Amino acid sequence: MTATSTSGRPVRPTPAHEPGDSNRVVPKRRRRPRTVTEWVLLLGAVIVAIVIAFPFLLILVNSFKSPSDYASGGPLQLPAEIYLDGIVAFWERVDFPQKLWNSVLISGLVSVFAVVVSVLNAFAIGIGRVRGRTWVIGLFLLANMLPQEVLLYPLYYMFKQIGLYNNVWAVIIIFTVIQSAFGTYLLSAVYGTFPKSVLEAAAIDGAGRWRILWQVIVPISRPTISVLLIFFFIWTWNEFLIPLTFLVSNENQTVPVAISVLQGDRLMDVTTTSASALLGLVPTLIFFLIFQRTLTRGITAGAVK
Amino acid sequence: MATIPLIRAPRTRAPARAAEEPLIPHRGDRPSLGYWLYLVPGLVLVTVIVLIPLGWNVYLSFTEWRGIRPPVFIGLENWVELFGDQTFWASFRNSVAMIVAMVVLPTVVGLVLAALLFDLIGRRFSGRLASFLRATYYLPQILPVVIAGIVIGWVLRPGDGALNQMLDAVGLGFLAQNWLGNPDTALLSIMVVLVWVQLGYPIVVFMAALQRVDPELYEAAELDGANWFQRFGAITLSIIRPEIFVVTLTCTIAALKVFGPIYVLTRGGPGDSTIVPAYYAYSEFFQAQQVGYGATIATALTIVIGVVAFVFIRFQLSSERKESAS
């Protein structure tokens, strides 16, 4: 059993576990005809799905309308003609490519650094089984569970003193710690069940701890590590309070911060606001589509098998 | 947003002595000493970024500080003020609303929908449709929560907003209003955002958990004449209880920490109608420049979260013990 059996992130079971899949080992019974109640319940589930998807559709439709088109046709009509000015105006106004780059840079570096720190910690805790490791894990969990508000002002003051305020590196350092706290917890559990025979074989071949870590343990636990990389990337991308506080000047802001600080601005007409929401949601939708398979593989394949 | 991964450490009941041995064979007496070196970077970072700021923040709650001249120690003054502060109590009342929106409703509705997708739609209609519906329910979860707030905020715009116009179109125009600007509807509107965001999380987790339920148990219960509700209560709920526990714990903590949607949608207003502790602390830090008082609110929030987590975990452990005893 590895610790990655369940996860609250976009975990999608592999097709073999798909509910109701025909190869499932359910004793075959004669199929009853579907009842009216069953159709009604299905309808209910579909209605809930429509209600949930509806705001997305509204944003999509209305981002391509001119404000006058919106005023005359209302929110439900398809655009009379494809109008890109709202999107273009917002794109240029926030310098969207720059914000994307900031978000990619911060999230990318955080996920790499946090994974390295997690691996080192987990090696000591899971493989090295240092004394008092329960306390060490507890400490890292605490770091992950604390509300960020309780760290906010001291961190703000500290980073101001050392001249890293309004600098992406402040955010990178802080999230490296917060994310690696979680990674340590997860990887320690995984490494605690690492097959001992593999490690013994490596030791007999004369490899030291450092080499065993990087040339044996890390390659074998790659599925878990790649899941962590992706989680850390997306979590950091979605963070708000700390980037909002630390990245005050325009050119350092991340995508969610840049978009949210312009809300309520008097230059934001109804369809430009819709366009801003669209630009905010597209990147995360893209990650979801790209990473979905890796996530699935990593989690369902189990970490060390 | 509040998706904290649901990972539980495997329970190891290995003999205590073996558990103390490093997994890599060693020569010499103090095998685990060298491993501490690997912990140095992690422990240094966590000390500088978490422990020192945490201690400092607790200290600041006993001071008056406007962020420029050195803090002045004032003892318990901030704490006394906090207990008499209407806004502070209002913020925790609103936290209860956040818990309803992020924990109670999503968990209950999520259980129903997960069971519906798994038992009925997956088995009696098509597995593919069930997966598709699940993915749709999950969609809002992938957004940064502030963007989710902006999406719903756009629908709820005052005046020509989409919801108001749709109400108009179906002859309910008299219901149209400034949803986020009216103290009677602002909190409810925020709750709608959070339910929308949060619903997919329990559904995905519970559906994964339902795979563990042995279909033969169901068959047996069915033969004994149990109806769907009886089977659901007796079998399903007891088997997926660990997931229910983790979902409610993590989401309760997330609900107490809500900040982003409040910041982008209402800034706590109108009046104090949507203020939450996290936003209150933030505004004391950076708008009122009352750092000591902000630190007091943040510390109080941390204590509440700690107590909630402690109570949850105690409750879980005692119910587990009861179960294994019976």
Side-chain angles (χ1 to χ4, degrees), chain B residues 168-187:
Chain B
D168 238 0
V170 294
L172 292 171
F174 62 93
L175 286 176
Q177 59 177 302
N178 184 355
W179 296 98
L180 289 159
N182 178 340
D184 296 329
T185 53
L187 186 63

Side-chain angles (χ1 to χ4, degrees), chain A residues 204-217:
Chain A
I204 287 165
D205 289 348
R209 284 172 188 164
W210 183 255
R211 264 190 67 196
I212 292 179
L213 172 61
W214 296 107
Q215 294 186 0
V216 178
I217 297 170

Side-chain angles (χ1 to χ4, degrees), chain B residues 164-226:
Chain B
N164 285 341
Q165 295 219 355
M166 287 186 283
L167 285 173
D168 238 0
V170 294
L172 292 171
F174 62 93
L175 286 176
Q177 59 177 302
N178 184 355
W179 296 98
L180 289 159
N182 178 340
D184 296 329
T185 53
L187 186 63
L188 215 61
S189 305
I190 299 274
M191 289 172 75
V192 169
V193 177
L194 295 174
V195 173
W196 182 67
V197 166
Q198 204 61 17
L199 188 61
Y201 174 60
I203 292 176
V204 167
V205 173
F206 293 157
M207 282 187 72
L210 285 171
Q211 321 247 340
R212 273 206 319 266
V213 180
D214 182 358
E216 280 178 28
L217 265 179
Y218 262 181
E219 303 277 319
E222 213 170 8
L223 287 178
D224 287 346

Side-chain angles (χ1 to χ4, degrees), chain A residues 1 3 6-13 17-20 24 29 31-34 38-39 41-42 45-46 48-49 52-56 58-59 62 70 74-76 117 120-121 123-131 133 136 139-140 143-147 149-159 173-174 177 182 185-186 189 191-194 196 199-200 203 209-210 212-213 235 237-238 240-241 244-245 256 259-261 263 268-270 273-274 277 280-281 284-285 288, chain B residues 1 3-10 18-26 31-32 34-36 38-39 41-43 45-46 48-54 56-57 60 65-67 113 116-118 120-125 127 129-131 133-140 142-147 150-152 154-155 157 160-162 165-166 196 199 201 204-205 207 211 213 215-216 219 222 243 253 257 259-260 263-264 278 281-282 285-286 289 291 298-299 301-302 305 309:
Chain A
M1 249 310 261
T6 52
S7 160
R9 277 282 157 172
V11 184
R12 327 196 71 239
H17 297 281
E18 210 66 61
R24 229 183 125 80
R29 270 183 300 152
R31 281 223 155 195
R32 295 177 276 123
R34 292 167 187 150
E38 288 174 342
W39 281 105
L41 289 171
L42 173 68
V46 170
V48 173
I52 287 178
F54 197 60
F56 288 100
L58 280 176
I59 291 294
N62 290 292
Y70 181 87
L76 292 178
V117 175
L120 292 174
N121 288 341
F123 181 64
I125 296 168
I127 306 278
R129 300 190 164 170
V130 295
R131 250 166 230 278
R133 61 184 176 281
V136 178
L139 174 72
F140 284 109
N144 197 254
M145 260 180 31
L146 284 176
E149 287 74 18
V150 85
L151 312 175
L152 191 64
Y153 205 91
L155 287 175
Y156 165 80
Y157 193 81
M158 276 163 49
F159 280 100
I173 294 168
I174 295 169
V177 179
F182 175 76
Y185 170 64
L186 173 67
Y191 285 0
T193 61
F194 203 88
K196 204 171 174 183
L199 300 174
E200 280 165 356
R209 284 172 188 164
W210 183 255
I212 292 179
L213 172 61
W235 289 342
W237 187 285
N238 291 354
F240 185 65
L241 174 67
L244 174 76
T245 309
I259 290 176
S260 58
V261 295
Q263 299 301 311
M268 298 275 284
D269 59 53
V270 58
T273 308
S274 171
L281 63 85
T284 48
L285 268 171
F288 186 63
Chain B
M1 58 168 311
T3 41
I4 298 97
L6 269 187
I7 293 153
R8 285 174 296 138
E20 291 305 320
E21 294 284 314
L23 290 172
I24 299 177
H26 54 88
S32 80
Y35 286 104
W36 276 100
Y38 290 85
L39 273 175
L43 286 177
L45 280 169
V46 101
V48 174
I49 301 296
V50 177
L51 294 182
I52 291 173
L54 174 66
W56 191 352
N57 187 85
L60 287 177
W65 192 25
R66 307 200 54 109
L113 285 171
L116 198 63
L117 288 190
F118 188 82
L120 173 77
I121 297 171
R123 300 220 161 125
R124 305 275 297 145
F125 290 90
L129 178 63
S131 312
L133 288 173
R134 181 185 56 192
T136 312
Y137 298 148
Y138 197 79
L139 210 52
I142 63 172
L143 301 182
V145 67
V146 284
I147 302 296
I150 290 168
V151 167
I152 299 290
W154 184 85
V155 175
R157 267 171 90 91
D160 63 353
Q165 295 219 355
M166 287 186 283
W196 182 67
L199 188 61
Y201 174 60
V204 167
V205 173
M207 282 187 72
Q211 321 247 340
V213 180
E216 280 178 28
E219 303 277 319
E222 213 170 8
E243 276 79 6
I253 293 176
K257 291 182 184 174
F259 173 80
Y263 180 89
V264 290
Y282 176 85
F285 284 142
F286 297 110
Q289 301 286 338
V291 179
T299 308
L301 175 63
T302 308
I305 289 176

Side-chain angles (χ1 to χ4, degrees), chain B:
Chain B
M1 58 168 311
T3 41
I4 298 97
L6 269 187
I7 293 153
R8 285 174 296 138
R11 278 179 221 166
T12 42
R13 293 241 166 80
R17 233 190 78 66
E20 291 305 320
E21 294 284 314
L23 290 172
I24 299 177
H26 54 88
R27 282 152 271 166
D29 289 342
R30 303 288 300 279
S32 80
L33 207 62
Y35 286 104
W36 276 100
L37 287 177
Y38 290 85
L39 273 175
V40 169
L43 286 177
V44 167
L45 280 169
V46 101
T47 305
V48 174
I49 301 296
V50 177
L51 294 182
I52 291 173
L54 174 66
W56 191 352
N57 187 85
V58 173
Y59 166 72
L60 287 177
S61 77
F62 301 108
T63 66
E64 157 119 49
W65 192 25
R66 307 200 54 109
I68 303 153
R69 269 174 295 168
V72 181
F73 189 81
I74 55 167
L76 288 172
E77 252 177 66
N78 285 325
W79 288 92
V80 172
E81 190 185 335
L82 192 76
F83 282 99
D85 181 355
Q86 291 303 314
T87 310
F88 175 72
W89 293 111
S91 74
F92 269 103
R93 270 198 303 279
N94 290 337
S95 282
V96 175
M98 301 297 123
I99 291 173
V100 171
M102 286 180 69
V103 186
V104 180
L105 289 173
T107 306
V108 173
V109 179
L111 266 176
V112 172
L113 285 171
L116 198 63
L117 288 190
F118 188 82
D119 266 355
L120 173 77
I121 297 171
R123 300 220 161 125
R124 305 275 297 145
F125 290 90
S126 101
R128 218 174 249 186
L129 178 63
S131 312
F132 177 76
L133 288 173
R134 181 185 56 192
T136 312
Y137 298 148
Y138 197 79
L139 210 52
Q141 273 275 306
I142 63 172
L143 301 182
V145 67
V146 284
I147 302 296
I150 290 168
V151 167
I152 299 290
W154 184 85
V155 175
L156 298 177
R157 267 171 90 91
D160 63 353
L163 180 62
N164 285 341
Q165 295 219 355
M166 287 186 283
L167 285 173
D168 238 0
V170 294
L172 292 171
F174 62 93
L175 286 176
Q177 59 177 302
N178 184 355
W179 296 98
L180 289 159
N182 178 340
D184 296 329
T185 53
L187 186 63
L188 215 61
S189 305
I190 299 274
M191 289 172 75
V192 169
V193 177
L194 295 174
V195 173
W196 182 67
V197 166
Q198 204 61 17
L199 188 61
Y201 174 60
I203 292 176
V204 167
V205 173
F206 293 157
M207 282 187 72
L210 285 171
Q211 321 247 340
R212 273 206 319 266
V213 180
D214 182 358
E216 280 178 28
L217 265 179
Y218 262 181
E219 303 277 319
E222 213 170 8
L223 287 178
D224 287 346
N227 66 27
W228 187 87
F229 290 98
Q230 287 167 325
R231 277 181 290 150
F232 183 78
I235 302 172
T236 315
L237 277 185
S238 68
I239 288 180
I240 68 172
R241 207 163 59 192
E243 276 79 6
I244 298 176
F245 165 74
V246 179
V247 164
T248 46
L249 172 61
T250 53
C251 294
T252 305
I253 293 176
L256 289 166
K257 291 182 184 174
V258 166
F259 173 80
I262 303 292
Y263 180 89
V264 290
L265 290 176
T266 62
R267 310 253 165 156
D272 287 341
S273 60
T274 59
I275 194 140
V276 290
Y279 185 80
Y280 191 27
Y282 176 85
S283 69
E284 287 295 309
F285 284 142
F286 297 110
Q287 281 146 29
Q289 301 286 338
Q290 295 289 353
V291 179
Y293 196 58
T296 314
I297 300 166
T299 308
L301 175 63
T302 308
I303 294 170
V304 170
I305 289 176
V307 169
V308 165
F310 180 77
V311 169
F312 258 96
I313 290 167
R314 279 300 290 272
F315 178 77
Q316 163 80 349
L317 289 178
S318 77
S319 70
E320 250 175 30
R321 223 173 290 134
K322 235 178 272 160
E323 195 166 282
S324 60
S326 65

